[in-house]
Amino acid sequence: MSFRTTPSVAYVEDVSPGSGTLPPRAWYARSDAKSLSLNGRWRLRLSATADAEDDSFAEEGHEPGDWAEVTVPGHWVLQGDGAFGSPIYTNHLYPFPVDPPHVPTENPTGDHLRAFDLPADWPADGDTVLRFDGVESCARVWLNGTELGEFKGSRLPHEFAVGQVLKPKGNVLAVRVHQWSAGSYLEDQDQWWLPGIFRDVTLLHRPEDSARDFFVHASYDHATGEGTLRVDSDVEGRVSVPALDIDVATGEPVTVPVEPWSAETPKLYDGELITPGERVPLRIGFRTVVLEDGLIKVNGRAVLFKGVNRHEWHPERGRALDLETMREDVLLMKRHNLNAVRTSHYPPHPAFLDLCDELGLWVIDECDLETHGFTEQAWRDNPVDDDRWTPALLDRAARMVERDKNHPSIVIWSLGNEAGTGRGLTAMAEWIHGRDPDRLVHYEGDWDCRDTDMYSRMYAFHDEVEKIGRKLDGGTHRRRELPFILCEYGHAMGNGPGGLADYQELFEKYDRLQGGFIWEWIDHGVKHPELGYAYGGDFGEELHDGNFVCDGLVFPDRRPSPGLVEYKKVIEPVRIEGDGAGGTVRVTNRYDFADLSALAFEWSYQVDGETVEAGSLSVPALAPGESAEVKLPEPPGHESGGETQWTVRALLGADTAWAPKGHVVAWGQFPVSARRSPSVAASDRPTTGDRLITLGPAAFDARTGALRSIGDVEVAAARLDVWRAPTDNDDGAEWQTDTRYGMLWRKYGLHRMRHRLDAVELTDDALTVRTRVAPAAWEVGLATVYRWTSDGSRLRLTVSVTPEGDWRVPLPRLGIRFGLPQADAVRWFGGGPGEAYPDTRTASMLGRWHSTVDELQTPYVRPQENGARADVRWVELGGLRIEGDPEFWFSARRWTSEQLDAARHLTDLAPGDTVWVNLDHGQHGIGSQSCGPGPLPRYFLAAEPTEFSFVFSTTG
């Protein structure tokens, strides 16, 4: 007889979920029962294959000798400075041959050892449970030489009863972890493949007569204002909620007046489950989730999800997150107006859900399931449509639901992600509906909505979303009667995402559209000593998907990106619109549940971007959906003739659990008087010397007409510029059939434009330089005329651009670029404080701002176009003041766009001696085509006849 694998490791390729583990149950952080954390330093021996070593390491008395040490929770490939292998990133391709359930012989396997003693006061009665909260991807476990069993399901809890084999002292826990297993086929989740024991390992004493499992049912009747509590427990006991005067037997319902739980008002009641053997703290939130009138309703009201997808990530520890990092995530979400999170694509560490309960976020809890790689073979052999795998799928569903069922923040269970369709998914949906009928079920791949309670899509274009909102999208009758969510949209990869405001307008227009979830929360950059942050391919992977793993609203170090700032503004829960000239502001409450009593409002009045007066504004405590017209004070009497505007802000009126008093929740700006365009009387005449032409404060090359200096400020290579370092969204995704303009821009040579000098003309009041700007190999071009005039102290440039030939692509940008030898401090009047582009400018606030050149840069993990400021009236840097007619886009950096384009990591960008300045009349939109739609046509920068002007003067 022969075996493909040795019997001792056959479990690795077994499609079953494992053996020896206890049934899943509710998770809770603490009780009065004893527990012992086994986190910390463990010994590790790494082998290249699953059966390279025998099992003797698990025997009592085994000495690990020269074994290495690693930290648990942790991934071994992120420890040891590369001595234990490297991470692998793929989006959906399996990094091993697809031959289910088989995996390669080359299967990194980590044997882990942890010695421990029981505390002196560890009880002798009852039993003890050994709990693993997360191990990737398959583990076999021994304690004191006794084999306990093995399991799969990386992001799910597994427990063993160990009371019979524990000793007071000298216990040795042995865990063999395999990187690849049959379970890996179910975990193809667009993330780094990272083996190891990456969540907590805990020893839990289970006293006699303590509950093994319990289920908190806490519903709310919005018509009566009453909540009904029933706690089911497998061991009889009592339930106490002192604040509600509740003291009832388990299993017995009780109805009392309560304050309901919602993401906006996350009211929790402290209680206890008391059995003869244990007291378990409860945090109870009363709320009811239903599908009614074709809408997802909580506590009687339809909700609008303003959400984000969240992978677990830390740039040094991977998916081994500590509590403070999880709290930081939730606080950032709340401070940026998010109200929902989808736990893509697996249940998170359970402590994260505690934080969602406490601070208030709607949660779609997603099962640890994705088989996306099977799309490469048209879903043939997909495990979710193979009955042999159904027990594993049901086990994963049960471990998610049973662990997390007592969290009020969870309103929807998700079967998984991108796993095609099949009988196994139907079985999961049926089991979940039966086990927990008080929540809804989601799965994006079920477009006919046979198994789900909502129609869900990814990256649907704006026009299709509008059709869905109007119920004109076709599909089955059942689907048309269900609510719609975008479980993924707004792909936040690099610069972007664009078009969020346009999506939000649709969500608010059509009731059926109940919002969506941005992909995703954080860039999964791996901290790297030479590259800054590494992404796919930086560890020599034979298959990888590059920086597609860096597509988050926060950077790897959790600094908010411009995309998160934009999203905060787009989804702000208070709409502030005004008629500045009329002296009124319209305030609308966009919350689903909360009134505006927690907010304070203030006004400020700006002249040319500077606040001259400010005060408080009295706004009624509007109920959800209500609006009010509020009178602004009389404009201050500042007769400067400048541009004036009102700014109104909504701020927290008191400290909250997630932000301090004064935190800005929403804002609006309204013009009063318009800006006057800068004017320069063409009174100075150009004069010609042997080498230079002089005109006012400026000097030009006598032969080419090129600008050389303005006053004492040298100026280099001032000329028309149309190129930007393509963003991830410009480049799009390789599988897309829609036009990808980043590729077309390169095809048509917009990154290598040639500048032909046609004429240098002098008249009494102007220097005119005529050029043609065009790429090699193509007939298209831009006839460009630079007309320079001066009043003696200021210099005006008027640029006229006329396209020639058949332009089939929009322009990346259109403006002028030049170099300055010295520049650091930057001041401007325009949009800020951060970057903005045509479809990402909602959060750009008009004002006076200051920065340094280095601070203007946005540190996208893969360098690309960034840092433009919108609606700029004037900017000062490097000794120059530049005014625009009309307003313009401004950026400055210590490298060229070509150098930015060539860089693959931020460490590739070496500051030069020249600061390169772009003054742009226009920019092409951003979109989210790195996975979704490109920019809407109204954000295209068409090649068409254009004229714009800049006025230069010195600041010295």
Side-chain angles (χ1 to χ4, degrees), residues 695-837:
L695 175 61
F700 300 83
D701 186 283
R703 183 177 63 85
T704 64
L707 178 65
R708 290 288 179 255
S709 63
I710 301 173
D712 295 332
V713 179
E714 296 181 8
V715 181
R719 61 186 187 179
L720 191 79
D721 188 26
V722 300
W723 180 245
R724 73 184 188 194
T727 67
D728 292 313
N729 288 306
D730 290 336
D731 285 337
E734 62 182 12
W735 64 81
Q736 292 170 331
T737 58
D738 298 306
T739 301
R740 297 159 59 196
Y741 284 107
M743 294 181 61
L744 286 181
W745 292 340
R746 293 188 195 278
K747 174 182 176 181
Y748 288 110
L750 302 192
H751 60 309
R752 48 177 176 78
M753 301 290 274
R754 309 291 177 87
H755 296 252
R756 187 184 74 202
L757 177 63
D758 289 340
V760 178
E761 302 169 352
L762 294 177
T763 60
D764 286 346
D765 63 351
L767 165 64
T768 302
V769 180
R770 302 183 184 278
T771 69
R772 186 174 190 270
V773 182
W778 299 96
E779 63 175 356
V780 297
L782 301 170
T784 306
V785 179
Y786 308 94
R787 188 174 188 269
W788 300 91
T789 58
S790 177
D791 63 2
S793 62
R794 295 183 299 164
L795 182 71
R796 184 182 188 96
L797 167 64
T798 300
V799 182
S800 301
V801 180
T802 304
E804 298 176 341
D806 183 14
W807 278 88
R808 300 182 179 181
V809 294
L811 299 173
R813 69 176 349 127
L814 182 65
I816 64 167
R817 181 175 77 173
F818 57 87
L820 297 176
Q822 292 182 344
D824 187 25
V826 184
R827 297 176 62 245
W828 75 96
F829 172 26
E835 74 179 25
Y837 290 82

Side-chain angles (χ1 to χ4, degrees), residues 894-906:
R894 300 187 189 279
W895 37 78
T896 65
S897 294
E898 291 75 16
Q899 291 168 327
L900 185 62
D901 186 18
R904 291 296 169 262
H905 295 86
L906 291 171

Side-chain angles (χ1 to χ4, degrees), residues 287 503 679:
R287 56 107 190 94
Y503 275 116
S679 61

